């Protein structure tokens, strides 16, 4: 079975799916970012994750989904979370949500007897759709399905409708996320960062939050932080160092952890800068060598003047 870090590094940031597979993280998400009366009624004792996905094949590289069933006031409720983890806004989301919700209900019918389905008192469970979006563009897709239908105003009482809950990561400011002092607030705060330097600064602001995390939360958070810190611009060697640092620390050692990660990143940036300078110098010398070749100079003289090897000069010639 894949480790925490292997799962969180899956394609198109399905790290969110792994994070929210933790009941504690999912409850934090709905209580902090949806803030409705029913959210407070959901707890780990009445929540069960449904291990299925209803994503259409054409969209498997663009989104992920997560399904929970809860028992609230003796009634079954299904929470369907669609994770829209791409940079641009997709205006087909309401339609796809409808398809996925219909598939969930159809799956329920497939798993009960015809007699039960035809019973007068039988009712399908309510599905609460939630869209988690972490792109930078403003989400301007209608939240009500009926608004995607032409001339819906003329037939208000007769058109299909539902409203989904939108959680847009970029719409929350730093102070709001810091005040939450929670795992999901910390995750959103890091996901908003535009570069690794900003990630480090935000980690420093999260010191108090990280220190008070329970073991499961800290395990999830460090796996997420590793995902952010090793996305790009860092050599594979330095990525391995960061993995070791995050994997060995505990919440109370967070200052040391951040300091060590920052040191590794700065060294990686310095090496990249030095390499860039060296590559620039070599490119310049190659231009000089080409000029000297065009003027008929011999290879020995060009090698001595430019510092390039004879093999490189032969290729240039």
């Amino acid at each position: 079975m894949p480790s925490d870090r292997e799962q969180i590094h899956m394609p198109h940031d399905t790290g969110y799916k792994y994070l929210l597979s933790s009941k504690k993280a999912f409850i934090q998400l709905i209580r902090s970012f949806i803030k409705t009366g029913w959210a407070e009624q959901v707890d780990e004792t009445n929540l069960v994750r449904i291990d299925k996905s209803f994503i259409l094949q054409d969209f498997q590289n663009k989104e992920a989904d997560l399904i929970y069933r809860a028992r609230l006031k003796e009634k079954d409720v299904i929470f369907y979370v669609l994770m829209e983890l791409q940079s641009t806004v997709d205006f087909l989301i309401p339609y796809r949500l409808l398809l996925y919700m219909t598939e969930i209900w159809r799956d329920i019918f497939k798993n009960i007897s015809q007699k039960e389905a035809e019973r007068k008192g039988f009712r399908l469970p309510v599905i609460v759709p939630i869209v988690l979006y972490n792109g930078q563009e403003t989400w301007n897709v209608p939240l009500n399905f009926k608004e995607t239908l032409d001339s819906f105003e003329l037939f208000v009482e007769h058109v299909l409708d539902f409203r989904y809950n939108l959680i847009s990561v970029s719409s929350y400011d730093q102070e709001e996320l810091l005040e939450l002092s929670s795992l999901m607030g910390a995750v959103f705060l890091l996901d908003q960062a535009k570069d690794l330097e900003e990630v480090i600064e935000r980690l420093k602001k999260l010191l108090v939050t990280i220190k008070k995390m329970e073991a499961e939360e800290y395990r999830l958070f460090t796996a997420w932080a590793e995902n952010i810190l090793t996305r790009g611009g860092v050599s594979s060697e330095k990525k391995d160092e960061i993995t070791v640092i995050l994997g060995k620390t505990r919440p109370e050692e967070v200052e040391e952890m951040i300091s060590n990660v920052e040191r590794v990143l700065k060294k990686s940036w310095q090496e990249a800068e030095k390499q860039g300078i060296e590559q620039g110098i070599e490119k310049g010398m190659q231009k000089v060598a080409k000029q000297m070749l065009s003027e008929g100079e011999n290879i020995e003289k060009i090698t001595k003047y430019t510092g390039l090897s004879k093999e490189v000069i032969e290729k240039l010639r």
Side-chain angles (χ1 to χ4, degrees), residues 13-87:
D13 270 3
T14 41
Y16 264 117
K17 181 168 183 174
Y18 176 66
L19 278 172
L20 295 174
S21 295
S22 159
K23 292 182 183 181
K24 187 183 294 292
F26 175 74
I27 291 170
Q28 278 188 17
L29 180 81
I30 61 174
R31 288 184 181 176
S32 299
F33 302 106
I34 296 181
K35 299 178 182 178
T36 62
W38 54 258
E40 295 301 321
Q41 299 174 37
V42 181
D43 60 44
E44 292 186 48
T45 61
N46 62 22
L47 195 62
V48 177
R49 186 188 163 205
I50 308 300
D51 191 16
K52 287 187 177 182
S53 174
F54 292 89
I55 297 297
L56 297 170
Q57 187 173 359
D58 292 346
F59 298 98
Q60 287 179 349
N61 292 325
K62 295 183 178 180
E63 57 197 24
D65 62 358
L66 190 69
I67 308 166
Y68 277 103
R69 181 190 290 268
R71 188 76 175 168
L72 303 180
K73 295 184 177 180
E74 303 304 314
K75 302 291 183 181
D76 281 340
V77 179
I78 292 175
F79 299 106
Y80 182 76
V81 185
L82 180 63
M83 286 158 274
E84 192 67 9
L85 305 174
Q86 52 185 331
S87 59

Coordinates of all heavy atoms in Angstrom, one line a residue, residues 13-87:
D13 N -2.7 17.0 -8.1 CA -2.9 17.4 -6.7 C -4.1 16.6 -6.0 O -4.9 17.2 -5.3 CB -3.3 18.9 -6.6 CG -2.0 19.7 -6.4 OD1 -0.9 19.1 -6.3 OD2 -2.1 20.9 -6.2
T14 N -4.2 15.3 -6.3 CA -5.2 14.6 -5.6 C -4.7 14.4 -4.1 O -5.3 13.7 -3.4 CB -5.4 13.2 -6.2 OG1 -4.2 12.6 -6.6 CG2 -6.3 13.3 -7.4
G15 N -3.7 15.1 -3.7 CA -3.3 15.2 -2.3 C -4.5 15.7 -1.5 O -4.6 15.3 -0.4
Y16 N -5.3 16.6 -2.1 CA -6.5 17.0 -1.4 C -7.4 15.9 -1.1 O -8.1 15.8 -0.1 CB -7.2 18.1 -2.3 CG -6.9 19.5 -1.9 CD1 -6.3 20.3 -2.8 CD2 -7.2 20.0 -0.7 CE1 -6.0 21.7 -2.5 CE2 -6.9 21.3 -0.3 CZ -6.2 22.1 -1.3 OH -5.9 23.4 -1.0
K17 N -7.5 15.0 -2.1 CA -8.4 13.8 -1.8 C -7.9 13.0 -0.7 O -8.7 12.5 0.2 CB -8.5 12.9 -3.1 CG -9.4 11.7 -2.9 CD -9.8 11.1 -4.2 CE -10.7 9.9 -4.0 NZ -11.2 9.3 -5.3
Y18 N -6.6 12.8 -0.6 CA -6.0 12.0 0.5 C -6.2 12.7 1.8 O -6.6 12.1 2.8 CB -4.5 11.8 0.2 CG -3.8 11.1 1.4 CD1 -4.2 9.8 1.7 CD2 -2.9 11.7 2.2 CE1 -3.6 9.1 2.8 CE2 -2.3 11.1 3.2 CZ -2.7 9.8 3.5 OH -2.1 9.2 4.6
L19 N -6.0 14.0 1.8 CA -6.2 14.8 3.1 C -7.6 14.7 3.6 O -7.8 14.4 4.7 CB -5.9 16.3 2.8 CG -4.4 16.7 2.9 CD1 -4.3 18.2 2.4 CD2 -3.8 16.6 4.2
L20 N -8.6 14.9 2.7 CA -10.0 14.9 3.1 C -10.5 13.5 3.3 O -11.7 13.3 3.7 CB -10.8 15.6 2.0 CG -10.5 17.1 1.9 CD1 -11.2 17.8 0.8 CD2 -10.8 17.8 3.2
S21 N -9.7 12.5 3.0 CA -10.1 11.1 3.4 C -10.0 10.9 4.9 O -10.5 9.9 5.4 CB -9.2 10.1 2.7 OG -9.4 10.1 1.3
S22 N -9.4 11.8 5.6 CA -9.4 11.9 7.0 C -10.7 12.5 7.5 O -11.0 13.6 7.1 CB -8.2 12.7 7.5 OG -8.4 13.1 8.9
K23 N -11.4 11.8 8.3 CA -12.7 12.4 8.7 C -12.5 13.7 9.5 O -13.3 14.6 9.3 CB -13.4 11.4 9.7 CG -13.9 10.1 9.0 CD -14.6 9.2 10.1 CE -15.1 7.9 9.5 NZ -15.8 7.1 10.5
K24 N -11.5 13.8 10.2 CA -11.2 15.0 11.0 C -11.0 16.2 10.1 O -11.5 17.3 10.3 CB -9.9 14.8 11.9 CG -9.6 15.9 12.8 CD -8.4 15.7 13.6 CE -8.5 14.5 14.5 NZ -9.4 14.8 15.7
A25 N -10.2 15.9 9.0 CA -10.0 17.0 8.0 C -11.2 17.4 7.3 O -11.5 18.6 7.0 CB -8.9 16.6 7.0
F26 N -12.1 16.4 6.9 CA -13.3 16.7 6.2 C -14.2 17.5 7.1 O -14.9 18.5 6.6 CB -14.0 15.4 5.8 CG -15.3 15.6 5.1 CD1 -15.5 16.2 3.9 CD2 -16.5 15.4 5.9 CE1 -16.7 16.4 3.3 CE2 -17.7 15.6 5.3 CZ -17.8 16.1 4.0
I27 N -14.4 17.2 8.3 CA -15.2 17.9 9.3 C -14.7 19.3 9.4 O -15.5 20.3 9.5 CB -15.3 17.2 10.6 CG1 -16.1 15.9 10.4 CG2 -16.0 18.0 11.7 CD1 -16.1 14.9 11.6
Q28 N -13.4 19.5 9.5 CA -12.8 20.9 9.6 C -13.2 21.7 8.4 O -13.5 22.8 8.5 CB -11.3 20.8 9.7 CG -10.8 20.5 11.1 CD -9.3 20.7 11.1 OE1 -8.6 21.2 10.2 NE2 -8.6 20.1 12.2
L29 N -13.2 21.0 7.2 CA -13.5 21.7 6.0 C -14.9 22.2 6.0 O -15.1 23.4 5.7 CB -13.3 20.7 4.8 CG -13.6 21.3 3.4 CD1 -12.4 22.1 2.9 CD2 -13.9 20.2 2.4
I30 N -15.9 21.4 6.3 CA -17.2 21.9 6.2 C -17.6 22.8 7.3 O -18.3 23.8 7.1 CB -18.3 20.7 6.1 CG1 -18.2 19.8 7.4 CG2 -18.0 19.9 4.9 CD1 -19.3 18.8 7.4
R31 N -17.0 22.6 8.5 CA -17.4 23.5 9.6 C -16.7 24.9 9.4 O -17.3 25.9 9.8 CB -16.9 22.9 10.9 CG -17.8 21.8 11.4 CD -17.4 21.3 12.7 NE -18.2 20.1 13.2 CZ -18.0 19.5 14.3 NH1 -17.0 19.8 15.1 NH2 -18.8 18.5 14.6
S32 N -15.5 24.9 8.8 CA -14.8 26.2 8.7 C -15.2 27.0 7.5 O -15.2 28.2 7.5 CB -13.3 25.9 8.6 OG -12.8 25.3 9.8
F33 N -15.6 26.3 6.4 CA -15.7 27.0 5.1 C -17.1 26.9 4.5 O -17.4 27.5 3.5 CB -14.7 26.4 4.1 CG -13.3 26.6 4.5 CD1 -12.6 25.5 5.0 CD2 -12.7 27.8 4.5 CE1 -11.2 25.6 5.4 CE2 -11.4 28.0 5.0 CZ -10.7 26.9 5.4
I34 N -18.0 26.1 5.1 CA -19.4 26.1 4.7 C -20.3 26.8 5.8 O -21.2 27.6 5.5 CB -19.9 24.7 4.4 CG1 -19.1 24.1 3.2 CG2 -21.4 24.7 4.1 CD1 -19.5 22.8 2.8
K35 N -20.0 26.5 7.0 CA -20.6 27.2 8.1 C -22.2 27.2 8.1 O -22.8 28.3 8.0 CB -20.1 28.7 8.2 CG -18.6 28.7 8.4 CD -18.1 30.2 8.4 CE -16.6 30.3 8.6 NZ -16.2 31.7 8.6
T36 N -22.8 26.1 8.1 CA -24.2 26.0 8.1 C -24.6 25.2 9.4 O -23.7 24.5 10.0 CB -24.8 25.3 6.9 OG1 -24.3 24.0 6.8 CG2 -24.4 26.1 5.6
G37 N -25.9 25.2 9.7 CA -26.3 24.5 10.9 C -26.0 23.0 10.9 O -25.6 22.4 11.8
W38 N -26.2 22.4 9.7 CA -26.0 20.9 9.6 C -24.6 20.5 9.7 O -24.2 19.4 10.1 CB -26.6 20.4 8.3 CG -26.2 21.0 7.0 CD1 -26.9 21.9 6.3 CD2 -25.0 20.8 6.3 NE1 -26.2 22.2 5.1 CE2 -25.0 21.6 5.1 CE3 -23.8 20.0 6.6 CZ2 -23.9 21.6 4.2 CZ3 -22.8 20.0 5.6 CH2 -22.8 20.8 4.5
A39 N -23.6 21.4 9.4 CA -22.2 21.1 9.4 C -21.8 20.8 10.9 O -21.0 19.9 11.1 CB -21.4 22.3 8.9
E40 N -22.4 21.5 11.8 CA -22.1 21.3 13.3 C -22.6 19.9 13.8 O -22.2 19.4 14.8 CB -22.7 22.4 14.1 CG -22.1 23.8 13.8 CD -20.6 23.8 14.1 OE1 -20.1 23.2 15.0 OE2 -19.9 24.5 13.3
Q41 N -23.6 19.4 13.0 CA -24.1 18.1 13.5 C -23.3 16.9 13.0 O -23.5 15.8 13.5 CB -25.6 17.9 12.9 CG -26.5 19.0 13.4 CD -27.9 18.9 12.7 OE1 -28.4 17.8 12.5 NE2 -28.5 20.0 12.4
V42 N -22.4 17.1 12.1 CA -21.6 16.0 11.5 C -20.4 15.8 12.5 O -19.7 16.7 12.8 CB -21.1 16.4 10.1 CG1 -20.2 15.2 9.6 CG2 -22.2 16.7 9.2
D43 N -20.2 14.6 12.9 CA -19.0 14.2 13.6 C -18.5 12.9 13.2 O -19.1 12.2 12.3 CB -19.3 14.2 15.2 CG -20.4 13.2 15.6 OD1 -20.4 12.1 15.1 OD2 -21.2 13.6 16.4
E44 N -17.4 12.4 13.7 CA -16.7 11.2 13.2 C -17.5 10.0 13.5 O -17.4 9.0 12.8 CB -15.3 11.1 13.9 CG -14.3 12.2 13.4 CD -12.9 12.0 13.9 OE1 -12.4 10.8 13.8 OE2 -12.3 12.9 14.5
T45 N -18.4 10.0 14.5 CA -19.2 8.8 14.8 C -20.3 8.5 13.8 O -20.7 7.4 13.7 CB -19.8 8.9 16.2 OG1 -20.7 10.1 16.3 CG2 -18.7 9.1 17.3
N46 N -20.8 9.6 13.2 CA -21.9 9.4 12.2 C -21.5 9.5 10.8 O -22.3 9.7 9.9 CB -23.1 10.3 12.6 CG -22.8 11.8 12.4 OD1 -21.8 12.1 11.8 ND2 -23.5 12.6 13.1
L47 N -20.2 9.5 10.5 CA -19.7 9.7 9.2 C -18.9 8.5 8.6 O -18.1 7.9 9.3 CB -18.7 10.9 9.3 CG -18.3 11.6 8.0 CD1 -19.5 12.2 7.3 CD2 -17.2 12.7 8.2
V48 N -19.3 8.1 7.4 CA -18.7 7.0 6.8 C -18.2 7.3 5.4 O -19.0 7.9 4.6 CB -19.6 5.8 6.7 CG1 -19.0 4.6 6.0 CG2 -20.1 5.3 8.1
R49 N -17.0 7.1 5.1 CA -16.5 7.4 3.7 C -16.9 6.2 2.8 O -16.8 5.1 3.0 CB -15.0 7.5 3.7 CG -14.5 8.0 2.3 CD -13.0 8.0 2.2 NE -12.7 8.0 0.8 CZ -11.5 7.6 0.2 NH1 -10.6 7.0 1.0 NH2 -11.3 7.6 -1.1
I50 N -17.4 6.6 1.6 CA -17.8 5.7 0.5 C -16.7 5.6 -0.4 O -16.3 6.6 -1.1 CB -19.1 6.1 -0.2 CG1 -20.2 6.4 0.8 CG2 -19.5 5.1 -1.2 CD1 -20.6 5.3 1.6
D51 N -16.1 4.4 -0.5 CA -14.9 4.3 -1.3 C -15.2 4.0 -2.8 O -15.0 2.9 -3.4 CB -14.0 3.1 -0.8 CG -12.6 3.1 -1.4 OD1 -12.2 4.1 -2.0 OD2 -12.0 2.0 -1.3
K52 N -15.7 5.0 -3.5 CA -16.1 5.0 -4.9 C -15.8 6.3 -5.5 O -15.7 7.3 -4.8 CB -17.6 4.6 -5.1 CG -17.9 3.2 -4.8 CD -19.4 2.9 -5.2 CE -19.7 1.5 -5.0 NZ -21.1 1.2 -5.4
S53 N -15.7 6.3 -6.8 CA -15.5 7.6 -7.6 C -16.5 7.5 -8.8 O -16.7 6.5 -9.4 CB -14.1 7.7 -8.1 OG -14.0 8.9 -8.9
F54 N -17.0 8.7 -9.0 CA -18.0 8.8 -10.1 C -17.5 9.8 -11.2 O -18.3 10.2 -12.1 CB -19.4 9.3 -9.6 CG -20.0 8.2 -8.7 CD1 -19.8 8.2 -7.4 CD2 -20.8 7.3 -9.3 CE1 -20.3 7.2 -6.5 CE2 -21.4 6.3 -8.5 CZ -21.2 6.3 -7.1
I55 N -16.2 10.1 -11.2 CA -15.7 11.0 -12.2 C -15.7 10.4 -13.6 O -15.4 9.2 -13.8 CB -14.2 11.3 -11.9 CG1 -14.1 12.1 -10.6 CG2 -13.6 12.2 -13.0 CD1 -14.8 13.4 -10.5
L56 N -16.2 11.1 -14.6 CA -16.3 10.6 -16.0 C -14.8 10.4 -16.5 O -13.9 11.2 -16.1 CB -17.0 11.6 -16.8 CG -18.5 11.9 -16.5 CD1 -19.0 13.0 -17.3 CD2 -19.3 10.6 -16.7
Q57 N -14.7 9.5 -17.4 CA -13.3 9.1 -17.9 C -12.6 10.3 -18.5 O -11.4 10.5 -18.4 CB -13.4 8.0 -18.9 CG -12.1 7.4 -19.3 CD -12.2 6.2 -20.2 OE1 -13.3 5.7 -20.4 NE2 -11.1 5.7 -20.6
D58 N -13.4 11.2 -19.2 CA -12.8 12.3 -19.9 C -12.2 13.3 -19.0 O -11.5 14.2 -19.4 CB -13.9 13.0 -20.8 CG -14.3 12.1 -22.0 OD1 -13.6 11.1 -22.2 OD2 -15.3 12.4 -22.6
F59 N -12.6 13.3 -17.7 CA -12.2 14.3 -16.7 C -11.3 13.8 -15.6 O -11.1 14.5 -14.6 CB -13.5 15.0 -16.1 CG -14.3 15.7 -17.2 CD1 -15.4 15.1 -17.7 CD2 -14.0 16.9 -17.6 CE1 -16.2 15.7 -18.7 CE2 -14.8 17.6 -18.6 CZ -15.9 16.9 -19.1
Q60 N -10.8 12.6 -15.8 CA -10.0 12.0 -14.7 C -8.7 12.7 -14.4 O -8.1 12.6 -13.4 CB -9.8 10.5 -15.0 CG -11.1 9.7 -14.7 CD -10.9 8.2 -15.1 OE1 -9.9 7.8 -15.6 NE2 -11.9 7.4 -14.7
N61 N -8.2 13.4 -15.5 CA -7.0 14.2 -15.3 C -7.2 15.6 -14.8 O -6.3 16.4 -14.7 CB -6.2 14.2 -16.6 CG -5.7 12.8 -16.9 OD1 -5.3 12.0 -16.0 ND2 -5.6 12.5 -18.2
K62 N -8.5 16.0 -14.6 CA -8.8 17.4 -14.3 C -9.4 17.5 -12.9 O -9.4 18.6 -12.3 CB -9.8 18.0 -15.3 CG -9.2 18.1 -16.7 CD -10.3 18.8 -17.6 CE -9.8 19.0 -19.0 NZ -10.8 19.6 -19.9
E63 N -10.0 16.4 -12.4 CA -10.7 16.6 -11.1 C -10.7 15.2 -10.3 O -10.3 14.2 -10.9 CB -12.1 17.0 -11.3 CG -12.9 16.1 -12.3 CD -14.1 16.8 -12.8 OE1 -14.2 18.1 -12.9 OE2 -15.1 16.1 -13.2
A64 N -11.0 15.3 -9.1 CA -11.2 14.1 -8.2 C -12.4 14.3 -7.4 O -12.9 15.4 -7.3 CB -9.9 14.0 -7.3
D65 N -12.9 13.2 -6.9 CA -14.1 13.3 -6.0 C -14.0 12.5 -4.7 O -13.1 11.6 -4.6 CB -15.4 13.0 -6.8 CG -15.4 11.5 -7.3 OD1 -14.4 10.8 -7.0 OD2 -16.4 11.1 -7.9
L66 N -14.8 12.8 -3.8 CA -14.8 12.2 -2.5 C -16.2 12.1 -2.0 O -17.0 13.1 -2.1 CB -13.9 13.0 -1.5 CG -13.6 12.3 -0.2 CD1 -12.7 11.1 -0.4 CD2 -12.9 13.3 0.8
I67 N -16.6 11.0 -1.4 CA -18.0 10.8 -1.0 C -18.1 10.3 0.5 O -17.4 9.4 0.9 CB -18.7 9.8 -1.9 CG1 -18.6 10.1 -3.3 CG2 -20.2 9.7 -1.5 CD1 -18.9 9.0 -4.3
Y68 N -18.9 11.0 1.2 CA -19.2 10.6 2.6 C -20.7 10.4 2.8 O -21.5 11.2 2.2 CB -18.7 11.7 3.6 CG -17.2 11.6 3.9 CD1 -16.3 12.5 3.4 CD2 -16.7 10.7 4.9 CE1 -15.0 12.5 3.7 CE2 -15.4 10.6 5.2 CZ -14.5 11.5 4.6 OH -13.2 11.5 4.9
R69 N -21.0 9.4 3.6 CA -22.4 9.3 4.1 C -22.5 9.6 5.5 O -21.7 9.1 6.3 CB -22.9 7.8 3.8 CG -24.4 7.6 4.2 CD -24.7 6.1 4.1 NE -24.7 5.6 2.7 CZ -25.8 5.6 2.0 NH1 -27.0 6.0 2.5 NH2 -25.8 5.1 0.7
A70 N -23.5 10.4 5.9 CA -23.7 10.7 7.3 C -25.1 10.4 7.8 O -26.0 10.3 6.9 CB -23.4 12.2 7.6
R71 N -25.3 10.1 9.0 CA -26.6 9.8 9.6 C -27.0 11.0 10.5 O -26.4 11.2 11.6 CB -26.6 8.5 10.4 CG -27.9 8.1 10.9 CD -28.7 7.4 9.7 NE -30.0 6.9 10.2 CZ -30.9 6.5 9.4 NH1 -30.8 6.5 8.1 NH2 -32.1 6.0 9.9
L72 N -27.9 11.9 10.0 CA -28.2 13.1 10.7 C -29.7 13.0 11.0 O -30.6 12.9 10.1 CB -27.9 14.3 10.0 CG -26.4 14.5 9.5 CD1 -26.3 15.8 8.8 CD2 -25.5 14.5 10.7
K73 N -30.1 13.1 12.3 CA -31.5 13.1 12.7 C -32.2 11.9 12.1 O -33.3 12.0 11.6 CB -32.2 14.4 12.4 CG -31.6 15.6 13.1 CD -32.4 16.9 12.8 CE -31.9 18.0 13.6 NZ -32.6 19.3 13.3
E74 N -31.6 10.7 12.2 CA -32.1 9.5 11.7 C -32.3 9.4 10.2 O -33.1 8.6 9.7 CB -33.5 9.2 12.4 CG -33.4 9.1 13.9 CD -32.3 8.1 14.4 OE1 -32.3 7.0 13.9 OE2 -31.5 8.4 15.3
K75 N -31.7 10.3 9.5 CA -31.8 10.3 8.0 C -30.4 10.2 7.4 O -29.5 10.8 7.9 CB -32.5 11.6 7.6 CG -33.9 11.9 8.1 CD -34.9 10.9 7.6 CE -36.3 11.2 8.1 NZ -37.3 10.2 7.6
D76 N -30.3 9.5 6.3 CA -29.0 9.4 5.6 C -28.8 10.7 4.7 O -29.8 11.1 4.0 CB -29.0 8.2 4.7 CG -28.7 6.9 5.4 OD1 -28.2 7.0 6.6 OD2 -29.1 5.8 5.0
V77 N -27.6 11.2 4.7 CA -27.2 12.3 3.9 C -25.9 11.9 3.2 O -25.0 11.3 3.9 CB -27.1 13.6 4.7 CG1 -26.6 14.7 3.9 CG2 -28.3 13.9 5.5
I78 N -25.8 12.3 2.0 CA -24.5 12.0 1.3 C -23.9 13.4 0.9 O -24.5 14.3 0.4 CB -24.8 11.2 0.0 CG1 -25.2 9.8 0.3 CG2 -23.5 11.2 -0.9 CD1 -25.6 9.0 -0.9
F79 N -22.6 13.5 1.2 CA -21.8 14.7 0.9 C -20.9 14.3 -0.3 O -20.1 13.3 -0.2 CB -20.9 15.1 2.1 CG -21.7 15.5 3.3 CD1 -21.7 14.7 4.4 CD2 -22.4 16.7 3.3 CE1 -22.5 15.1 5.5 CE2 -23.1 17.1 4.4 CZ -23.2 16.3 5.5
Y80 N -21.1 15.0 -1.4 CA -20.3 14.7 -2.6 C -19.3 15.9 -2.8 O -19.8 17.0 -3.1 CB -21.2 14.5 -3.8 CG -20.4 14.2 -5.1 CD1 -19.9 12.9 -5.2 CD2 -20.2 15.1 -6.0 CE1 -19.1 12.6 -6.4 CE2 -19.4 14.8 -7.2 CZ -18.9 13.6 -7.3 OH -18.1 13.3 -8.4
V81 N -18.0 15.7 -2.7 CA -17.0 16.7 -2.9 C -16.3 16.5 -4.2 O -15.7 15.5 -4.5 CB -16.0 16.7 -1.7 CG1 -15.0 17.8 -1.9 CG2 -16.6 16.7 -0.4
L82 N -16.5 17.5 -5.1 CA -15.8 17.5 -6.4 C -14.6 18.5 -6.3 O -14.8 19.7 -6.0 CB -16.8 18.0 -7.5 CG -16.2 18.0 -8.9 CD1 -15.8 16.6 -9.3 CD2 -17.2 18.6 -9.9
M83 N -13.4 17.9 -6.4 CA -12.2 18.7 -6.3 C -11.8 19.2 -7.7 O -11.3 18.4 -8.5 CB -11.1 17.9 -5.6 CG -11.4 17.8 -4.1 SD -10.6 16.4 -3.3 CE -11.8 15.1 -3.6
E84 N -12.0 20.5 -7.9 CA -11.7 21.1 -9.2 C -10.3 21.7 -9.1 O -10.2 22.9 -8.7 CB -12.7 22.1 -9.6 CG -12.7 22.6 -11.0 CD -13.0 21.5 -12.0 OE1 -13.4 20.4 -11.7 OE2 -12.8 21.8 -13.2
L85 N -9.2 21.0 -9.4 CA -7.9 21.4 -9.1 C -7.1 21.7 -10.4 O -6.1 21.1 -10.7 CB -7.2 20.3 -8.3 CG -8.0 19.9 -7.0 CD1 -7.3 18.7 -6.4 CD2 -8.1 21.0 -6.1
Q86 N -7.7 22.7 -11.1 CA -7.0 23.2 -12.3 C -7.0 24.7 -12.2 O -7.8 25.3 -11.5 CB -7.7 22.7 -13.5 CG -9.2 22.9 -13.6 CD -9.8 22.2 -14.8 OE1 -9.1 22.1 -15.8 NE2 -11.0 21.8 -14.7
S87 N -6.2 25.3 -13.0 CA -6.0 26.8 -12.9 C -7.1 27.6 -13.5 O -7.3 28.7 -13.1 CB -4.7 27.2 -13.7 OG -4.7 26.8 -15.0

